[in-house]
Amino acid sequence: MTSGRPTPGFARGASRVGRLLQEGAPGGRVLRLCVRLVRRPLLPAIRLWRRNIQLRVVTVTLLMSLAVVLLLGFVVIAQVSRGLLEAKEDAAISQAAGGFAVAQEKANTASVADGADATAVDTKVGRDASTWMNSLVSQLASGGQSAFEVVALGAGSGEKDSGVRGARASGDVDPTASIPPALRKAVNHTTGTYQSFARIRYTGSDKPSEPALVVGKRLTDINGIPYDLYYLFPLTQEEESLNLVKGTIATAGLFVVVLFGAIAWLVVRQVVTPVRMAAGIAERLSAGKLQERMKVTGEDDIARLGEAFNKMAQNLHHKIQQLEDLSRMQRRFVSDVSHELRTPLTTVRMAADVIHEARVDFDPVTARSAELLAGQLDRFESLLADLLEISRFDAGAAALEAEPIDLRDVVRRVIDGAEPLAERKGTRIRVLGDTQPVVAEADARRVERVLRNLVVNAVEHGEGRDVVVRLASAGGAVAVAVRDYGVGLKPGEATRVFNRFWRADPARARTTGGTGLGLSIAVEDARLHGGWLQAWGEPGGGSQFRLTLPRTADEPLRGSPIPLEPEDSRANRARAAAERAAA
């Protein structure tokens, strides 16, 4: 008895097959190609089956109706066949019993009449018995009017000697081929009446064989010699009746299946059509066409669904209009306030500059206040500039001035501007991938603003470790990734980091005077280029921000030449160690 655990050889073979498939071995490629070739012609049908609920319901209804019709057909045909055969068997046994009685009575009568002649010789007796047998078969068959045939066979257990000797039949019936051997054996061994189903075969004619019910019994002739008498009742009429029933059931079943399919199609159409209409209107609503409504007729459940859908669409339209008006008012308020603040800010800036320049004549406390005032005014100006930029993005008024630029020049300018902060933090900024030109059609001012924000954030949060700036280009995309090894990002913060005024650590003090809108503006600049700005991070393992831009303006992005998760992340290092250990 073998257990269900695979043998080592089988496990090694399975693992080898898996490696071949994973490594793209020729066998694996051929298998995948064969699967692809088989699936390709079926894809339209599979797609239609998945998307069309009406087709699925009608197909399932047809299959179930066909199964029910087939089951009922088998049951009805079996019942009709059993009834016809039972009726035929009863009539045949009754008819054969009467014939057997007549044959035995004739033999007994002839035997009594011939008993007075004691001088008859054996040849004369045998000739009279043969003549009597022929006459008996003819007389018995004549009463059937083609309803049955009669066969007389000599008694014996053999299937050759006794059967051929003295075999007589009516209507060109082949006596030896028409009587089943099993029935002959049963009749030869006992004196009862036996019946069996067989086929009547004819000799000397082109008449085909036909099914029949054979009834036989052991009798004695005029000389007291036993013989076998068989009645053969053709089942041609019953077979024709059964074929008629089968044809009727098949025709009715096909009509029922088609009728059920048509009914299912009509019923499902009444339900699916409003649903499809609602789906189309929902798609148009999601596309911004808020005036679309369903056509409602009647008072049934579908009509109630349409009314509820229209009411929902109306409420959504009203709410969206309210939100748009509120958003428009907020954008207008932010823009107006930002513009209005510029005039008093300019006056305050001029006064603050005068005070800041004269701080050498002040006492230390007043001089420090003048420095703080100048620093906070700088931050206030940055905040106003960011708010104005955000308001332009919200209003859709931001314009892109794209021209071919080499991102290496932009990165150098950003690093030169961030060097003083990096020196104060004790951070070294390294650049990788700057040996080849990285050219793309982009707005140099906006790209520089994005990279400056990324590099400054990396230096500020890098905790004195190196910051790596990587450039790459491949296909129709260019990318710049900024990697730091500082505090990193917790799970879920990689997407929230681009929210406005969001900070990973609210208690952390800003040393560079950031406004909290830098990454929000950066991601909007990336979207304006048709690019991506994405973040990755792990707690204590640093973070990486990746800017991906299309090489040509208005070209859709299909990928980035730099992976978002760096090669030196914990997960990649563990995976590489596991692969080395497995190798």
Side-chain angles (χ1 to χ4, degrees), residues 184 188 306:
R184 292 182 58 188
N188 285 332

Side-chain angles (χ1 to χ4, degrees), residues 84-127:
L84 291 175
L85 292 178
E86 288 178 354
K88 185 67 174 181
E89 189 174 357
D90 294 340
I93 292 175
S94 177
Q95 182 73 29
F100 294 149
V102 171
Q104 190 61 48
E105 183 180 357
K106 287 181 178 290
N108 295 335
T109 303
S111 176
V112 172
D114 294 340
D117 189 3
T119 61
V121 294
D122 293 340
T123 56
K124 181 70 167 61
V125 172
R127 187 165 51 252

Side-chain angles (χ1 to χ4, degrees), residues 459-541:
V459 171
E460 182 182 9
H461 299 283
E463 297 185 344
R465 299 183 180 91
D466 289 354
V467 172
V468 180
V469 180
R470 185 185 301 273
L471 295 91
S473 62
V478 297
V480 181
V482 180
R483 173 80 162 102
D484 68 81
Y485 299 89
V487 295
L489 296 174
K490 298 177 182 179
E493 292 182 350
T495 55
R496 288 183 294 170
V497 72
F498 298 106
N499 295 341
R500 298 176 183 179
F501 299 106
W502 184 86
R503 298 174 65 181
D505 186 4
R508 184 181 178 90
R510 293 187 182 273
T511 59
T512 57
T515 62
L517 295 173
L519 289 178
S520 301
I521 296 175
V523 75
E524 294 293 343
D525 283 330
R527 291 172 183 169
L528 191 62
H529 285 84
W532 305 331
L533 180 58
Q534 299 162 301
W536 168 90
E538 56 186 8

Side-chain angles (χ1 to χ4, degrees), residues 303-337:
R304 291 173 57 192
L305 174 63
E307 292 176 356
F309 186 89
N310 291 339
K311 187 175 181 180
M312 178 190 67
Q314 182 67 29
N315 292 336
L316 286 176
H317 188 195
H318 182 64
K319 293 294 182 183
I320 289 174
Q321 282 185 340
Q322 288 183 344
L323 292 175
E324 287 181 349
D325 294 340
L326 180 61
S327 178
R328 192 180 301 109
M329 292 176 59
Q330 290 177 345
R331 292 195 300 267
R332 183 67 178 271
F333 176 77
V334 172
S335 178
D336 293 344
V337 169

Side-chain angles (χ1 to χ4, degrees), residues 104-326:
Q104 190 61 48
E105 183 180 357
K106 287 181 178 290
N108 295 335
T109 303
S111 176
V112 172
D114 294 340
D117 189 3
T119 61
V121 294
D122 293 340
T123 56
K124 181 70 167 61
V125 172
R127 187 165 51 252
D128 291 341
S130 178
T131 303
W132 178 83
M133 186 67 68
N134 292 333
S135 176
L136 176 66
V137 170
S138 299
Q139 291 178 3
L140 294 177
S142 63
Q145 299 179 355
S146 301
F148 57 84
E149 302 291 345
V150 180
V151 174
L153 297 177
S157 59
E159 297 179 4
K160 291 183 179 180
D161 52 351
S162 300
V164 176
R165 185 177 63 227
R168 295 167 179 82
S170 64
D172 296 332
V173 175
D174 187 350
T176 57
S178 299
I179 307 302
L183 180 60
R184 292 182 58 188
K185 185 176 180 181
V187 172
N188 285 332
H189 283 78
T190 57
T191 59
T193 303
Y194 294 90
Q195 67 270 0
S196 176
F197 293 101
R199 296 194 70 85
I200 302 178
R201 304 184 186 277
Y202 300 92
T203 59
S205 64
D206 296 334
K207 188 176 181 180
S209 62
E210 54 185 354
L213 175 63
V214 182
V215 181
K217 187 177 181 181
R218 169 66 61 86
L219 301 174
T220 56
D221 60 5
I222 58 177
N223 296 323
I225 300 173
Y227 71 97
D228 299 336
L229 185 63
Y230 298 94
Y231 273 79
L232 287 72
F233 297 91
L235 300 176
T236 306
Q237 294 182 355
E238 287 74 13
E239 187 177 21
E240 292 177 355
S241 300
L242 188 60
N243 291 333
L244 179 61
V245 172
K246 290 181 180 178
T248 304
I249 291 177
T251 304
L254 180 61
F255 177 76
V256 169
V257 170
V258 174
L259 181 62
F260 281 175
I263 293 174
W265 184 79
L266 291 175
V267 172
V268 175
R269 180 181 176 85
Q270 292 180 357
V271 178
V272 170
T273 300
V275 174
R276 289 178 178 173
M277 185 185 302
I281 294 176
E283 291 177 356
R284 290 191 289 273
L285 286 175
S286 64
K289 300 178 180 179
L290 302 179
Q291 303 296 334
E292 294 288 337
R293 297 293 184 269
M294 284 185 64
K295 182 180 179 181
V296 179
T297 56
E299 300 179 356
D300 54 5
D301 295 335
I302 300 298
R304 291 173 57 192
L305 174 63
E307 292 176 356
F309 186 89
N310 291 339
K311 187 175 181 180
M312 178 190 67
Q314 182 67 29
N315 292 336
L316 286 176
H317 188 195
H318 182 64
K319 293 294 182 183
I320 289 174
Q321 282 185 340
Q322 288 183 344
L323 292 175
E324 287 181 349
D325 294 340
L326 180 61

Side-chain angles (χ1 to χ4, degrees), residues 22-49:
Q22 291 177 356
E23 295 172 1
R29 289 196 296 270
V30 171
L31 180 60
R32 289 194 296 270
L33 180 61
C34 293
V35 173
R36 193 179 299 114
L37 291 177
V38 172
R39 288 183 58 188
R40 185 175 299 171
L42 300 177
L43 286 178
I46 295 174
R47 191 178 299 110
L48 180 62
W49 176 263

